[in-house]
Amino acid sequence: MKILVINGPNLNFLGIREKNIYGTQDYAYLQKLLEEKGKEAGCEVTVFQSNHEGAIIDRLQEAYFDGTDGIVINPGAFTHYSYAIRDALASITVPKVEIHISDITKREEFRKTSVTATSCDRQIYGQGLDGYLQAIDFILEKQIL
């Protein structure tokens, strides 16, 4: 099984930006966490990060053809306005989970709106980096059923 994890803008700055919101663990820690989860679950986890909307769309479209079985996406700020990413997600029929490290429902008003969530099977927020692991578990369960 192949699971693709996509991280949007500024997520490569984990451990640097707003530590009180996103925590002190850096992006390398997240990548290692996901790699270990893949080994534990017996699946291939590929991690992709970009600060560019078009690159994220290109990677989503590539996933349609490369045998990806599930997608975990943290669109970052694109969550709130990228209908292009939303449409790319809608084009792919594998299980998809939108993830947010912080609780977006308890933050600034603009963060409470997700245009991308409607193209996903589930949305997880406010669970820190553990939300990524929960998202992978959700995809694994969907694929078994």
Side-chain angles (χ1 to χ4, degrees), residues 73-136:
I73 184 166
N74 184 339
F78 291 135
T79 301
H80 315 296
Y81 65 89
S82 180
Y83 293 101
I85 290 175
R86 180 242 170 258
D87 290 348
L89 285 164
S91 300
I92 304 167
T93 58
V94 300
K96 300 168 295 262
V97 180
E98 179 179 294
I99 173 74
H100 298 283
I101 297 167
S102 68
D103 185 344
I104 59 174
T105 67
K106 295 180 178 171
R107 296 199 51 206
E108 302 92 337
E109 196 61 34
F110 75 91
R111 293 189 197 274
K112 296 176 184 178
T113 300
S114 171
V115 301
T116 51
T118 58
S119 295
C120 293
D121 300 291
R122 185 170 179 203
Q123 184 186 55
I124 298 171
Y125 52 84
Q127 300 298 308
L129 299 183
D130 190 56
Y132 285 90
L133 306 180
Q134 293 173 31
I136 290 171

Side-chain angles (χ1 to χ4, degrees), residues 24-37:
T24 58
Q25 300 295 342
D26 65 11
Y27 192 69
Y29 175 85
L30 173 60
Q31 290 175 301
K32 185 170 175 53
L33 184 72
L34 294 168
E35 178 185 323
E36 289 172 359
K37 177 66 174 179

